[in-house]
Coordinates of all heavy atoms in Angstrom, one line a residue:
L15 N -2.0 -13.2 -3.5 CA -0.9 -12.4 -3.0 C -0.6 -11.3 -3.9 O -0.3 -10.2 -3.5 CB 0.3 -13.2 -2.7 CG 0.2 -14.1 -1.4 CD1 1.4 -15.0 -1.3 CD2 0.2 -13.2 -0.2
R16 N -0.5 -11.6 -5.2 CA -0.2 -10.5 -6.2 C -1.3 -9.4 -6.2 O -0.9 -8.3 -6.3 CB -0.1 -11.2 -7.6 CG 1.2 -11.9 -7.8 CD 1.3 -12.4 -9.2 NE 2.5 -13.2 -9.4 CZ 2.5 -14.4 -9.9 NH1 1.4 -15.0 -10.4 NH2 3.7 -15.1 -10.0
I17 N -2.5 -9.8 -6.2 CA -3.6 -8.8 -6.2 C -3.5 -8.0 -5.0 O -3.6 -6.7 -5.1 CB -5.0 -9.5 -6.4 CG1 -5.1 -10.1 -7.8 CG2 -6.1 -8.5 -6.1 CD1 -6.3 -11.1 -7.9
F18 N -3.4 -8.6 -3.8 CA -3.2 -7.9 -2.6 C -2.0 -7.0 -2.6 O -2.1 -5.8 -2.2 CB -3.1 -8.8 -1.4 CG -2.8 -8.1 -0.1 CD1 -3.7 -7.3 0.6 CD2 -1.5 -8.1 0.4 CE1 -3.4 -6.6 1.7 CE2 -1.1 -7.4 1.5 CZ -2.1 -6.7 2.2
G19 N -0.9 -7.5 -3.1 CA 0.3 -6.7 -3.1 C 0.3 -5.5 -4.0 O 0.7 -4.4 -3.6
I20 N -0.3 -5.6 -5.2 CA -0.4 -4.5 -6.0 C -1.4 -3.4 -5.4 O -1.1 -2.2 -5.4 CB -0.9 -4.9 -7.4 CG1 0.2 -5.7 -8.1 CG2 -1.3 -3.7 -8.3 CD1 -0.2 -6.5 -9.4
A21 N -2.5 -3.9 -4.9 CA -3.5 -3.0 -4.3 C -2.9 -2.3 -3.1 O -3.1 -1.1 -2.9 CB -4.8 -3.7 -3.9
A22 N -2.1 -3.0 -2.3 CA -1.6 -2.4 -1.1 C -0.5 -1.4 -1.4 O -0.4 -0.3 -0.8 CB -1.0 -3.5 -0.2
V23 N 0.3 -1.6 -2.4 CA 1.4 -0.7 -2.8 C 0.7 0.6 -3.4 O 1.1 1.7 -3.0 CB 2.3 -1.3 -3.9 CG1 3.2 -0.2 -4.5 CG2 3.2 -2.4 -3.2
L24 N -0.3 0.4 -4.2 CA -1.0 1.6 -4.8 C -1.7 2.4 -3.7 O -1.6 3.6 -3.7 CB -1.9 1.2 -5.9 CG -1.3 0.6 -7.2 CD1 -2.4 0.1 -8.1 CD2 -0.4 1.7 -7.8
M25 N -2.4 1.7 -2.8 CA -3.2 2.4 -1.8 C -2.2 3.1 -0.8 O -2.4 4.2 -0.4 CB -4.1 1.4 -1.1 CG -5.1 2.1 -0.1 SD -6.2 0.9 0.7 CE -6.9 0.1 -0.7
G26 N -1.1 2.4 -0.5 CA -0.1 3.0 0.4 C 0.5 4.2 -0.2 O 0.7 5.2 0.5
G27 N 0.8 4.2 -1.5 CA 1.3 5.4 -2.2 C 0.3 6.5 -2.1 O 0.7 7.7 -1.9
L28 N -1.0 6.2 -2.3 CA -2.0 7.3 -2.2 C -2.1 7.8 -0.8 O -2.1 9.1 -0.7 CB -3.4 6.7 -2.6 CG -4.5 7.7 -2.5 CD1 -4.4 8.9 -3.4 CD2 -5.8 6.9 -2.8
W29 N -2.0 7.0 0.2 CA -2.1 7.5 1.6 C -0.9 8.3 1.9 O -1.0 9.4 2.5 CB -2.1 6.3 2.5 CG -3.4 5.6 2.6 CD1 -4.5 5.8 1.8 CD2 -3.8 4.5 3.4 NE1 -5.5 4.9 2.1 CE2 -5.1 4.1 3.1 CE3 -3.1 3.8 4.4 CZ2 -5.7 3.0 3.7 CZ3 -3.7 2.8 5.1 CH2 -5.0 2.4 4.7
M30 N 0.3 7.9 1.4 CA 1.5 8.7 1.7 C 1.4 10.1 0.9 O 1.8 11.1 1.5 CB 2.8 8.0 1.2 CG 3.1 6.9 2.1 SD 4.7 6.1 1.7 CE 4.4 5.3 0.2
G31 N 0.9 10.1 -0.3 CA 0.8 11.3 -1.0 C -0.2 12.3 -0.4 O 0.0 13.5 -0.3
Q32 N -1.3 11.7 0.1 CA -2.3 12.5 0.8 C -1.8 13.0 2.1 O -2.0 14.2 2.5 CB -3.6 11.7 1.0 CG -4.4 11.5 -0.2 CD -5.7 10.7 0.0 OE1 -5.7 9.9 0.9 NE2 -6.7 11.0 -0.7
G33 N -1.1 12.2 2.8 CA -0.5 12.6 4.1 C 0.5 13.7 4.1 O 0.6 14.5 5.0
T34 N 1.3 13.7 3.0 CA 2.3 14.7 2.8 C 1.7 16.0 2.2 O 2.3 17.0 2.1 CB 3.4 14.3 1.9 OG1 2.9 13.9 0.6 CG2 4.2 13.1 2.6
G35 N 0.5 15.9 1.7 CA -0.2 17.0 1.0 C 0.2 17.2 -0.5 O -0.2 18.1 -1.1
L36 N 0.9 16.2 -1.0 CA 1.2 16.2 -2.4 C 0.0 15.8 -3.3 O -0.1 16.3 -4.4 CB 2.4 15.2 -2.7 CG 3.7 15.6 -2.1 CD1 4.7 14.5 -2.3 CD2 4.2 16.9 -2.6
I37 N -0.9 15.0 -2.8 CA -2.1 14.6 -3.5 C -3.2 15.1 -2.7 O -3.5 14.8 -1.6 CB -2.2 13.0 -3.6 CG1 -1.0 12.5 -4.4 CG2 -3.5 12.6 -4.3 CD1 -0.9 11.0 -4.4
L38 N -4.0 16.0 -3.4 CA -5.1 16.7 -2.7 C -6.4 16.2 -3.3 O -7.3 17.0 -3.6 CB -5.0 18.2 -2.8 CG -3.7 18.8 -2.2 CD1 -3.6 20.3 -2.5 CD2 -3.7 18.5 -0.7
W39 N -6.5 14.9 -3.4 CA -7.7 14.3 -4.0 C -8.1 13.1 -3.1 O -7.2 12.4 -2.7 CB -7.4 13.7 -5.4 CG -8.5 12.9 -5.9 CD1 -9.6 13.4 -6.6 CD2 -8.7 11.5 -5.9 NE1 -10.4 12.4 -6.9 CE2 -9.9 11.2 -6.5 CE3 -8.0 10.5 -5.3 CZ2 -10.4 9.9 -6.6 CZ3 -8.5 9.2 -5.4 CH2 -9.7 8.9 -6.1
P40 N -9.3 13.0 -2.8 CA -10.4 13.9 -3.0 C -10.3 15.1 -2.0 O -9.8 14.9 -0.9 CB -11.7 13.1 -2.8 CG -11.2 12.0 -1.9 CD -9.8 11.7 -2.2
A41 N -10.9 16.2 -2.4 CA -10.7 17.4 -1.6 C -11.4 17.3 -0.2 O -11.0 18.0 0.7 CB -11.3 18.6 -2.4
S42 N -12.3 16.4 -0.1 CA -13.0 16.2 1.2 C -12.3 15.2 2.1 O -12.9 14.9 3.2 CB -14.5 15.9 1.0 OG -14.5 14.6 0.3
S43 N -11.2 14.7 1.7 CA -10.5 13.6 2.5 C -10.0 14.1 3.8 O -9.4 15.2 3.9 CB -9.4 13.0 1.7 OG -8.7 12.0 2.4
F44 N -10.2 13.3 4.8 CA -9.7 13.7 6.2 C -8.2 13.4 6.3 O -7.6 13.8 7.3 CB -10.4 12.9 7.3 CG -10.3 11.4 7.1 CD1 -9.3 10.7 7.8 CD2 -11.3 10.7 6.4 CE1 -9.2 9.4 7.6 CE2 -11.2 9.4 6.2 CZ -10.1 8.7 6.9
M45 N -7.6 12.8 5.3 CA -6.2 12.4 5.4 C -5.2 13.5 4.8 O -4.0 13.4 5.0 CB -5.9 11.1 4.5 CG -6.6 9.9 5.0 SD -5.8 8.6 4.0 CE -7.1 7.5 3.7
L46 N -5.8 14.5 4.2 CA -4.9 15.5 3.6 C -4.1 16.2 4.6 O -4.5 16.8 5.6 CB -5.8 16.5 2.8 CG -6.6 15.9 1.7 CD1 -7.5 17.0 1.0 CD2 -5.8 15.2 0.7
D47 N -2.8 16.2 4.3 CA -1.8 16.9 5.1 C -1.8 16.5 6.6 O -1.6 17.3 7.5 CB -1.9 18.4 5.0 CG -0.6 19.2 5.2 OD1 0.5 18.5 5.1 OD2 -0.7 20.4 5.5
Q48 N -2.0 15.2 6.8 CA -2.0 14.6 8.1 C -0.8 13.6 8.1 O -0.9 12.5 7.5 CB -3.3 13.9 8.4 CG -4.5 14.8 8.4 CD -4.5 15.8 9.5 OE1 -4.1 15.5 10.7 NE2 -4.8 17.0 9.2
R49 N 0.2 13.9 8.8 CA 1.5 13.1 8.8 C 1.3 11.7 9.2 O 2.1 10.8 8.8 CB 2.6 13.8 9.6 CG 2.9 15.2 9.1 CD 3.6 15.1 7.8 NE 3.9 16.5 7.4 CZ 4.1 16.8 6.1 NH1 3.9 15.9 5.2 NH2 4.3 18.0 5.8
E50 N 0.4 11.4 10.1 CA 0.2 10.0 10.5 C -0.1 9.1 9.3 O 0.2 7.9 9.3 CB -0.9 9.9 11.5 CG -2.3 10.1 11.0 CD -3.4 10.0 12.0 OE1 -3.8 8.9 12.3 OE2 -3.8 11.0 12.6
W51 N -0.7 9.6 8.2 CA -1.0 8.8 7.1 C 0.2 8.5 6.2 O 0.2 7.5 5.4 CB -2.2 9.4 6.3 CG -3.4 9.3 7.1 CD1 -4.0 10.3 7.8 CD2 -4.2 8.2 7.3 NE1 -5.1 9.8 8.4 CE2 -5.3 8.5 8.1 CE3 -4.1 6.8 6.8 CZ2 -6.3 7.6 8.5 CZ3 -5.1 5.9 7.2 CH2 -6.2 6.3 8.0
V52 N 1.2 9.2 6.4 CA 2.5 8.9 5.7 C 3.0 7.6 6.2 O 3.4 6.7 5.5 CB 3.5 10.1 5.9 CG1 4.8 9.7 5.2 CG2 3.0 11.4 5.3
W53 N 3.0 7.5 7.5 CA 3.6 6.2 8.2 C 2.7 5.0 7.9 O 3.1 3.9 7.7 CB 3.8 6.5 9.7 CG 4.7 7.6 9.9 CD1 4.5 8.8 10.4 CD2 6.1 7.6 9.6 NE1 5.6 9.5 10.5 CE2 6.7 8.8 10.0 CE3 7.0 6.6 9.0 CZ2 8.0 9.1 9.8 CZ3 8.3 7.0 8.9 CH2 8.8 8.2 9.3
K54 N 1.4 5.3 8.0 CA 0.4 4.2 7.8 C 0.5 3.7 6.3 O 0.5 2.5 6.0 CB -1.0 4.6 8.1 CG -1.2 4.7 9.6 CD -2.6 5.2 9.9 CE -2.8 5.4 11.4 NZ -4.1 5.9 11.7
G55 N 0.6 4.7 5.4 CA 0.8 4.4 4.0 C 2.1 3.6 3.7 O 2.1 2.7 2.9
A56 N 3.2 4.0 4.3 CA 4.4 3.4 4.1 C 4.4 1.9 4.6 O 4.9 1.0 4.0 CB 5.5 4.1 4.9
L57 N 3.7 1.7 5.8 CA 3.6 0.4 6.3 C 2.7 -0.5 5.4 O 3.1 -1.7 5.1 CB 2.9 0.4 7.7 CG 2.7 -0.9 8.3 CD1 4.0 -1.7 8.6 CD2 2.0 -0.8 9.7
L58 N 1.7 0.0 4.9 CA 0.8 -0.7 3.9 C 1.6 -1.0 2.6 O 1.5 -2.2 2.1 CB -0.5 0.1 3.6 CG -1.5 -0.6 2.7 CD1 -2.0 -1.9 3.3 CD2 -2.6 0.3 2.4
A59 N 2.3 -0.1 2.1 CA 3.1 -0.3 0.9 C 4.2 -1.4 1.2 O 4.4 -2.2 0.3 CB 3.7 1.0 0.4
L60 N 4.8 -1.4 2.3 CA 5.8 -2.4 2.6 C 5.1 -3.8 2.7 O 5.7 -4.8 2.3 CB 6.5 -2.1 3.9 CG 7.6 -1.0 3.8 CD1 8.1 -0.7 5.2 CD2 8.7 -1.4 2.9
L61 N 3.9 -3.9 3.3 CA 3.2 -5.1 3.3 C 2.9 -5.6 1.9 O 3.0 -6.8 1.6 CB 1.9 -5.0 4.1 CG 2.0 -4.9 5.6 CD1 0.7 -4.6 6.3 CD2 2.6 -6.2 6.2
G62 N 2.6 -4.7 1.0 CA 2.3 -5.0 -0.3 C 3.6 -5.5 -1.1 O 3.5 -6.5 -1.8

Side-chain angles (χ1 to χ4, degrees):
L15 284 172
R16 283 184 185 131
I17 291 168
F18 170 78
I20 291 169
V23 168
L24 292 174
M25 191 178 303
L28 176 63
W29 289 4
M30 287 187 289
Q32 286 180 329
T34 59
L36 295 174
I37 299 174
L38 299 175
W39 174 86
S42 62
S43 177
F44 60 91
M45 295 193 217
L46 299 180
D47 208 18
Q48 300 293 319
R49 298 292 178 206
E50 70 180 275
W51 289 101
V52 175
W53 300 111
K54 290 177 183 181
L57 178 61
L58 183 60
L60 283 175
L61 286 173

